[in-house]
Amino acid sequence: MAASLAPTRWADLDRLLLRPGNLVGPGFEPGPELLESLQNDLRVLVIGAGGLGCELLKDLALSGFGHIDVIDMDTIDVSNLNRQFLFRMQDVGKPKAEVAAERVMQRVKGVTVVPHFCRIEEKDVSFYQDFHIIVLGLDSLEARSYINSVVCGFLEYEEDGSPDQSTIKPLVDGGTEGFKGHARVIFPGITPCFHCSLWLFPPQITFPLCTLAETPRSPAHCIEYAHLIQWGQDRQGESFDADNPEHMKWIYDQAVKRGEQFNISGITYSLTQGVVKNIVPAIASTNAIVAATCALETLKIATMCSTGMEVYMQYTGTEGIYMRTVPHDKDPNCIMCSPGVPVEVDTTCTLQKFIDQLLKDSRFKLKLSKPSVSYHGDNLYMQAPPVLEEMTRPNLELSLLTLMDGKTSGVLNINDRRLTGVLRVRVTFKEGLDSVDMDTAGGG
Amino acid sequence: MAQRNNKYDRQLRIWGEHGQTALETARVCVLNCGPTGSEALKNLVLGGIGSFTIVDASKVSAADLGNNYLVDWESLGQSKAKSVCALLQELNESVGAKFVEESPEALLESNPAFFAQFTLVIATQMTEAPLLKLEEICRQQKVMLVIARSYGLAGLVRISVTEHDIIESKPDNKVEDLRLHKPWPELQSYVDEFDIDTQDHNIHKHIPFAILLIKIAEDWKKSHDGKLPANVRLFKEAITARRRVEEDEDNYNEALKSAYIVLFPPSISSQLRAVLEDKASDVDASSSDFWIMVSALKQFMANEGQGEPPLDGAIPDMHSFTDYYIKLQKIYQARAEADVTAVEGHVARILKQIGRESSPIPRSTIKLFCKNARNLRVLRCKMLSDEFSSRSGPELQRLLAVEESSHPALYVLLRAVDHFAATYNRFPGVFDGEMEEDVSRLKSLAVGLLNDMGGGGASLPEDVVSEICRFGAGEIHCVASIVGGIASQECIKLLTRQFTPIQGTFIYNAMSATSLVLNV
């Protein structure tokens, strides 16, 4: 054991882990067992080995965590080197996860970092189940949403509507842009999940195609015209690759020509790259601050050695420094983390009609294609395999109210190949909905 | 050069080539290279400062291996400054790396002139007495000073500079200065070319919103004794009356969204007002270029500007035909250039008055100044010696009573631990056996400190006092990474002269992940 090699190695951390305190988390029990469990038992997954990921691996290893996995599909680029301190010029082109894992293990003796050089969707959902805490160092909303749906899929509720504690998989998330960033802690079912507060992420700026084609006014308009319209016209059949310098140069040259034609100046190669690749400015200090905030919260979740932060921390470093936490509310009807999305159903509704109603419901648009339905662990209708489909098919013509034991409301679990996890639907039966609702409830 | 630009691409997009050049010429000194100092330096080395020098007398111990990433097992027992220096050098070969194996406290006594070679000094994990000495030296030698302290789950960052002038403060919410409320002749004559009631629908929906707003405001004034609408609602109604709903006109949507700027054009901000009223703007031969330009700005505003600073010349995108927009853009740019020329004239006259004709200020500098004139900032830091001796007790007393957060208490306690160390020759809570005694010792020192400052009677929350003792002066890696990260960020702002640094004492509470800047 590394700890026994150097008994005073964790002296600073031990202040927090061995001593009782007054401002600590619920159930905090100081003692050497805490460090032992950090070193031996707890497994943490870091998603992303970029600006935040590199910092996170260092921070977690130096917070006593002994078993860390890291997953990233990217390879190292020269432009990473101003902040991703685990990488060197000679590493350019190598997988980030592998280089990062090796460097941290070399420096921090006793820690095991297992790299996964792949996309997050390539891993089976059960892969994520094996970790106690998942820490996100990502730059895309899509990837965050995916992981959110995975952990919300693990969540189960008790009969009384309270979340089953053993199914809560904590997520810690960080994000940065220039001098700004955020850190947040998500306990699915207890604190708001990503889907509850999607509004926190600003919408992406896109230009109307008619502006690009007919009335360009800015350098970005010229660049996007070359990128989105001209490439397809002039280089048919070739797919555009933003990492191919010849492709980027072509876009730049075309944009400059278009700029000359429309009297628009200020088109540079750097701006072309920025617009086409949607580059977000990034610096070492913000990444360090946000990642360490996330790692410290991870340590608090694992040991309860201090009070946790409120839901969401906002960081702004442009004018002085603002670091404040904001308590957001959960969306009680969230399709990801709520005990059940409310759906009103007519008392005479059959299971088949109910499934049709779900497919028309705008809240589940693009999320459902062939839903299977279960109630309290019983399969009411299964789309596959064929044997089960055949067995449950007769239920389709039965009244849903009967299938749900005549109760006036209850939660159904919906599974669908388009869903990462399960969709919980809280059905409430109402009389006389049928005629009015079938058109409106479905809606757009 | 190409590789350098690629390497720094993501930060060049923030502070530009000139910001990067400022970093690359900076010489930074870090005092003590525990995790706080090492992490601060790590971020600066990655960003590409010119050179750094580490001053630290200690050897790498086992505890360093548990909280500092910039030491390795091979250097156990060897100079910490040397180990950190070597591992930092690996991060960026273009940065000059040096170390001095001596304690900062000893160096302050033996060789104060040592500090004159640096642009900026970062003092980490130092106590009050040596900091006072260091500040005196730095002020004398015109070296910028950034103080950083990580203490268990608490932290502090403080800047000490005599004066820091910022042209490019780059505020988050930049105000659009379009002068729609008083168009100048060139803009007015362009506006006059438009018939905004044209029956050509395609033209109607491609007139830039700035033109629409000037026209509609003009028409309103004609029928209302030369007065503008009394409120935004009335103005918006007038705008809505001219739009053709069936055409779904984006230019009118933009006009409605920006209607308020005609009635409420940007005012002179309190920060700019403070710069204009600053005594330093009464310039003489010893004045800096910045203050000469401020003086010229005042003359411009009193004359050509008619109360307004120079136009920055930038306009937002507007839904419009390309040629309408480009023409409008050129009119704004021409006006901005004319304003620069006027300010340049004032600068030349001032330089002549103070006998500095021989060293003029380049037009590019004046242009940058004019473009950012609305957002000028001047930062002057109180001396630590004033802060430590000031009668700021009543303000602290008020904060301790009002503030729900524990930041003011942490501020008092972070100062009290230094008094504790001065009294007992160790920090509170370093021995398990004396925790209870240390809590009451620390508390009475903190209360005494408050009394001395004139804030007697203020109460300190018990649980925060005991937590500070629990920390036992431990340097937790994550806290050091945050405090060091913030210190490095402030260094970048100071060195590039961009963005606005902290004005006061920054207190970080890692228990709640919150912070507060105290002005005491």
Side-chain angles (χ1 to χ4, degrees):
Chain A
M1 290 302 307
S4 60
L5 284 176
T8 58
R9 181 177 172 199
W10 302 107
D12 293 73
L13 190 60
D14 274 344
R15 307 273 193 220
L16 301 180
L17 301 184
L18 296 180
R19 295 174 161 186
N22 291 328
L23 297 171
V24 294
F28 172 57
E29 284 183 34
E33 302 77 20
L34 282 179
L35 184 60
E36 276 164 31
S37 109
L38 284 180
Q39 299 250 285
N40 305 322
D41 309 326
L42 268 149
R43 292 193 59 199
V44 182
L45 173 65
V46 173
I47 303 187
L52 287 167
C54 285
E55 291 281 339
L56 283 167
L57 291 174
K58 163 191 71 103
D59 295 339
L60 291 167
L62 289 176
S63 297
F65 289 92
H67 294 277
I68 307 168
D69 283 48
V70 59
I71 178 167
D72 197 309
M73 59 182 245
D74 278 342
T75 54
I76 298 160
D77 182 78
V78 184
S79 66
N80 302 145
L81 301 178
N82 80 323
R83 62 197 186 285
Q84 300 178 16
F85 69 97
L86 296 174
F87 310 139
R88 310 280 174 268
M89 202 53 96
Q90 62 269 24
D91 299 325
V92 169
K94 294 180 193 163
K96 286 185 176 181
E98 289 171 10
V99 177
E102 195 190 310
R103 290 276 146 75
V104 172
M105 284 197 284
Q106 240 167 30
R107 186 67 55 83
V108 185
K109 294 280 186 276
V111 69
T112 307
V113 183
V114 180
H116 304 269
F117 174 40
C118 64
R119 302 177 62 86
I120 50 176
E121 300 88 348
E122 279 175 52
K123 292 286 180 189
D124 200 80
V125 170
S126 64
F127 168 80
Y128 296 99
Q129 183 73 277
D130 291 342
F131 299 95
H132 295 91
I133 306 169
I134 299 176
V135 191
L136 310 184
L138 291 164
D139 56 6
S140 94
L141 183 56
E142 289 74 24
R144 285 191 178 97
S145 290
Y146 178 78
I147 297 296
N148 185 61
S149 65
V150 169
V151 295
C152 287
F154 295 148
L155 179 66
E156 285 174 28
Y157 279 89
E158 307 277 11
E159 280 291 308
D160 65 0
S162 66
D164 174 350
Q165 297 287 331
S166 68
T167 63
I168 295 170
K169 180 84 60 199
L171 272 190
V172 182
D173 169 59
T176 76
E177 177 172 355
F179 281 99
K180 294 180 191 168
H182 78 263
R184 66 192 285 180
V185 176
I186 296 175
F187 292 98
I190 298 180
T191 62
C193 78
F194 275 113
H195 207 270
C196 292
S197 47
L198 275 179
W199 51 269
L200 282 167
F201 295 89
Q204 274 208 353
I205 299 165
T206 51
F207 304 114
L209 283 180
C210 58
T211 294
L212 301 185
E214 287 159 26
T215 57
R217 298 174 296 270
S218 71
H221 291 158
C222 299
I223 294 164
E224 281 296 60
Y225 178 80
H227 172 215
L228 299 173
I229 297 171
Q230 222 174 331
W231 179 276
Q233 288 170 355
D234 295 8
R235 300 184 66 158
Q236 273 180 21
E238 261 184 286
S239 61
F240 175 75
D241 174 9
D243 292 323
N244 182 328
E246 188 271 321
H247 289 189
M248 193 60 83
K249 181 72 172 34
W250 189 88
I251 299 288
Y252 166 66
D253 290 339
Q254 302 309 312
V256 169
K257 276 186 208 153
R258 190 162 174 84
E260 280 163 6
Q261 186 190 335
F262 284 93
N263 215 357
I264 296 166
S265 59
I267 298 160
T268 63
Y269 189 72
S270 167
L271 182 70
T272 307
Q273 284 183 305
V275 170
V276 172
K277 296 168 112 175
N278 193 19
I279 291 176
V280 175
I283 51 177
S285 53
T286 315
N287 279 303
I289 295 161
V290 168
T293 305
C294 291
L296 189 60
E297 292 306 313
T298 308
L299 177 68
K300 291 179 193 173
I301 295 169
T303 65
M304 292 293 152
C305 69
S306 184
T307 48
M309 73 174 202
E310 285 244 40
V311 183
Y312 187 93
M313 189 276 288
Q314 229 178 354
Y315 176 82
T316 311
T318 41
E319 293 183 81
I321 295 173
Y322 286 92
M323 237 176 158
R324 56 188 196 116
T325 51
V326 200
H328 293 300
D329 287 328
K330 261 197 319 178
D331 174 2
N333 302 329
C334 177
I335 63 165
M336 289 294 165
C337 72
S338 75
V341 187
V343 173
E344 292 192 344
V345 176
D346 189 86
T347 41
T348 63
C349 186
T350 62
L351 181 56
Q352 178 66 60
K353 274 190 168 178
F354 171 71
I355 291 173
D356 295 343
Q357 185 181 333
L358 286 182
L359 287 169
K360 281 198 225 159
D361 195 313
S362 61
R363 293 172 294 178
F364 312 133
K365 200 180 172 190
L366 303 175
K367 291 199 161 60
L368 299 176
S369 61
K370 289 177 144 196
S372 298
V373 183
S374 64
Y375 178 60
H376 284 180
D378 291 337
N379 295 324
L380 299 187
Y381 179 67
M382 296 290 284
Q383 301 269 4
V387 187
L388 274 179
E389 196 278 330
E390 205 181 319
M391 260 171 67
T392 53
R393 199 185 305 152
N395 284 344
L396 288 175
E397 298 314 313
L398 297 182
S399 118
L400 186 62
L401 183 61
T402 315
L403 287 169
M404 292 173 71
D405 310 323
K407 301 227 170 93
T408 51
S409 81
V411 176
L412 293 173
N413 281 353
I414 313 296
N415 282 287
D416 194 294
R417 59 199 170 104
R418 287 199 187 161
L419 293 168
T420 318
V422 67
L423 171 66
R424 286 175 290 270
V425 169
R426 172 166 291 277
V427 170
T428 310
F429 290 99
K430 291 263 166 81
E431 278 186 49
L433 275 179
D434 216 0
S435 49
V436 264
D437 243 337
M438 280 317 286
D439 293 326
T440 52
Chain B
M1 195 65 184
Q3 196 170 56
R4 168 191 171 277
N5 287 352
N6 284 338
K7 183 164 85 173
Y8 297 134
D9 179 82
R10 297 303 186 267
Q11 65 197 44
L12 286 169
R13 291 173 192 275
I14 299 180
W15 50 68
E17 191 58 49
H18 60 301
Q20 189 63 32
T21 305
L23 289 184
E24 287 172 358
T25 49
R27 296 172 308 277
V28 175
C29 175
V30 168
L31 306 181
N32 293 322
C33 61
T36 308
S38 299
E39 288 294 319
L41 211 37
K42 178 196 98 212
N43 301 329
L44 293 173
V45 168
L46 288 167
I49 50 168
S51 67
F52 69 85
T53 303
I54 297 172
V55 179
D56 193 317
S58 61
K59 307 287 184 200
V60 176
S61 73
D64 293 315
L65 300 170
N67 73 359
N68 193 343
Y69 192 79
L70 290 150
V71 295
D72 55 12
W73 288 60
E74 289 71 29
S75 359
L76 204 57
Q78 295 175 24
S79 160
K80 201 198 287 185
K82 185 183 173 191
S83 171
V84 172
C85 182
L87 294 179
L88 280 171
Q89 177 76 83
E90 280 182 14
L91 301 183
N92 194 342
E93 286 165 0
S94 42
V95 177
K98 274 192 224 164
F99 69 95
V100 175
E101 202 181 344
E102 202 174 337
S103 91
E105 287 79 4
L107 195 59
L108 281 170
E109 296 301 329
S110 66
N111 187 11
F114 169 83
F115 297 95
Q117 62 184 299
F118 301 109
T119 322
L120 185 149
V121 173
I122 308 174
T124 72
Q125 307 302 82
M126 287 174 68
T127 56
E128 277 189 9
L131 281 177
L132 286 170
K133 173 92 185 162
L134 176 64
E135 183 186 55
E136 199 188 316
I137 294 169
C138 287
R139 291 266 179 148
Q140 262 169 20
Q141 301 177 347
K142 297 196 166 48
V143 177
M144 298 187 268
L145 173 62
V146 175
I147 295 157
R149 183 86 175 267
S150 308
Y151 198 99
L153 295 178
L156 177 151
V157 178
R158 165 83 147 84
I159 293 168
S160 180
V161 291
T162 313
E163 182 189 302
H164 178 69
D165 315 319
I166 312 155
I167 294 173
E168 295 171 272
S169 67
K170 302 186 174 177
D172 288 329
N173 302 308
K174 188 181 163 287
V175 286
E176 307 274 13
D177 185 6
L178 297 178
R179 308 283 163 92
L180 304 182
H181 61 302
K182 46 175 173 185
W184 62 95
E186 292 79 5
L187 177 58
Q188 184 64 54
S189 69
Y190 185 50
V191 170
D192 292 342
E193 290 175 23
F194 286 85
D195 168 18
I196 69 165
D197 298 316
T198 172
Q199 285 313 304
D200 184 327
H201 292 326
N202 200 31
I203 291 179
H204 193 266
K205 64 179 184 182
H206 282 98
I207 300 173
F209 80 78
I211 308 271
L212 298 177
L213 290 175
I214 293 172
K215 275 273 193 197
I216 296 169
E218 196 175 274
D219 290 350
W220 179 284
K221 283 206 256 183
K222 271 183 206 149
S223 55
H224 292 82
D225 301 329
K227 290 195 184 93
L228 280 170
N231 58 50
V232 178
R233 186 182 53 82
L234 287 174
F235 191 38
K236 282 191 176 177
E237 283 169 11
I239 297 165
T240 308
R242 309 287 275 268
R243 79 184 304 187
R244 296 187 187 137
V245 183
E246 69 279 9
E247 292 289 320
D248 186 28
E249 299 176 313
D250 284 331
N251 56 338
Y252 273 84
N253 293 335
E254 291 172 349
L256 287 167
K257 222 194 266 174
S258 295
Y260 71 95
I261 59 172
V262 179
L263 306 189
F264 305 104
S267 56
I268 307 297
S269 71
S270 57
Q271 290 108 322
L272 177 58
R273 180 78 57 206
V275 174
L276 295 171
E277 288 167 1
D278 199 294
K279 282 201 187 74
S281 64
D282 299 332
V283 293
D284 58 35
S286 67
S287 296
S288 66
D289 287 1
F290 177 84
W291 288 112
I292 289 166
M293 289 190 286
V294 171
S295 181
L297 171 64
K298 281 163 74 170
Q299 294 188 14
F300 173 87
M301 288 174 70
N303 296 289
E304 303 91 331
Q306 298 170 35
E308 298 282 351
L311 193 74
D312 70 20
I315 60 171
D317 186 31
M318 301 179 196
H319 189 83
S320 121
F321 286 136
T322 301
D323 50 347
Y324 291 175
Y325 180 81
I326 299 293
K327 177 100 189 270
L328 191 64
Q329 199 177 36
K330 291 208 155 51
I331 289 169
Y332 273 85
Q333 284 166 352
R335 170 64 198 261
E337 284 294 330
D339 285 358
V340 173
T341 304
V343 173
E344 199 179 21
H346 290 294
V347 167
R349 274 186 291 281
I350 294 166
L351 287 173
K352 195 171 178 195
Q353 280 161 19
I354 62 173
R356 246 195 67 179
E357 302 103 309
S358 54
S359 55
I361 302 173
R363 183 177 169 93
S364 58
T365 307
I366 298 172
K367 193 171 171 176
L368 185 72
F369 180 88
C370 290
K371 203 167 169 46
N372 294 283
R374 279 187 185 277
N375 300 311
L376 301 175
R377 302 271 191 280
V378 170
L379 172 68
R380 288 201 180 87
C381 304
K382 189 187 263 189
M383 295 276 288
L384 283 176
S385 52
D386 288 335
E387 181 180 333
F388 293 166
S389 66
S390 80
R391 308 286 293 172
S392 50
E395 172 64 3
L396 273 174
Q397 199 177 20
R398 190 188 64 82
L399 286 170
L400 283 166
V402 178
E403 192 67 37
E404 282 179 21
S405 68
S406 48
H407 303 95
L410 286 175
Y411 170 79
V412 175
L413 289 165
L414 285 177
R415 287 189 53 198
V417 296
D418 286 356
H419 289 236
F420 191 108
T423 313
Y424 299 97
N425 217 19
R426 63 171 175 87
F427 286 106
V430 292
F431 299 124
D432 287 331
E434 291 193 53
M435 284 294 279
E436 268 180 50
E437 295 86 336
D438 280 4
V439 170
S440 49
R441 285 170 185 151
L442 179 64
K443 182 151 193 200
S444 68
L445 277 169
V447 169
L449 187 71
L450 271 171
N451 277 332
D452 292 347
M453 293 167 73
S459 68
L460 289 164
E462 289 287 339
D463 47 9
V464 181
V465 180
S466 66
E467 282 299 290
I468 288 285
C469 287
R470 175 186 176 220
F471 301 154
E475 216 173 333
I476 305 298
H477 179 78
C478 288
V479 177
S481 194
I482 293 164
V483 172
I486 286 170
S488 63
Q489 169 188 286
E490 295 308 296
C491 292
I492 284 168
K493 292 191 212 166
L494 289 168
L495 294 169
T496 59
R497 296 193 166 270
Q498 295 181 27
F499 303 96
T500 309
I502 305 166
Q503 306 184 54
T505 304
F506 170 83
I507 298 291
Y508 168 59
N509 180 346
M511 298 170 268
S512 57
T514 56
S515 74
L516 189 72
V517 175
L518 292 178
N519 278 297
V520 289

